[in-house]
Structures are given as C-alpha cells and as structure tokens.
Amino acid sequence: RAPSSTYVPSPAVASGTLTAGAAYVNQPGDTLSGVGRRFQTPVQNLIDLNDLGPRGTISPGQRVVLPDTAVDTGRDPYATG
C-alpha cells in the first residue's frame, strides 16, 4: 500500500464490468501508463473508470480511481515521460 498521502480510499462504484476501488493521487511526473504499471492495471481500464477520453491526460494532484483489483507494487521508476 502506498503512503496515505497518495492512496485514498474511494467508495465502490460500478462502471461497466469494472468496479472502482481506491484512488491514487497523481504526483508530479506521473504518467497514466506508469500508474497502470504500478497498480497492475491496463491503461484502458484507468481511462474508462475516470472518463479521461482517448488521450488519457492526467495532472499532478488529480485523483485517479483504480479498479478494486488494483495491487500497489510501489513507485514505478518509469512513471515519468
């Protein structure tokens, strides 16, 4: 589990076949693909759960809802870029 400053519990909400779980607060330099790798979640699932549109743009401080199946593997060294 990530530090409490970046991993925020979120109420469960169904979105198609995905079920929302906790939320991750993006840090400077995070990318959607990096968040997906960190939480072992396909980028498309993150886009769908968060209504991000085809570009999947995220910003520092933005909450990204994760699926309830997400597993935090720790900071992704390739999260930037």
Side-chain angles (χ1 to χ4, degrees):
R1 183 175 162 149
S4 61
S5 63
T6 60
Y7 193 76
V8 180
S10 177
V13 177
S15 175
T17 59
L18 297 173
T19 301
Y24 171 74
V25 178
N26 289 316
Q27 302 302 302
D30 280 351
T31 64
L32 198 58
S33 61
V35 172
R37 280 191 302 273
R38 174 176 176 164
F39 292 98
Q40 299 180 350
T41 301
V43 170
Q44 189 60 53
N45 288 358
L46 296 175
I47 290 171
D48 293 344
L49 277 172
N50 293 280
D51 296 322
L52 295 176
R55 293 185 54 105
T57 304
I58 59 174
S59 304
Q62 179 179 349
R63 291 183 57 186
V64 174
V65 176
L66 304 168
D68 63 349
T69 57
V71 176
D72 188 353
T73 61
R75 183 127 177 95
D76 183 341
Y78 305 106
T80 61

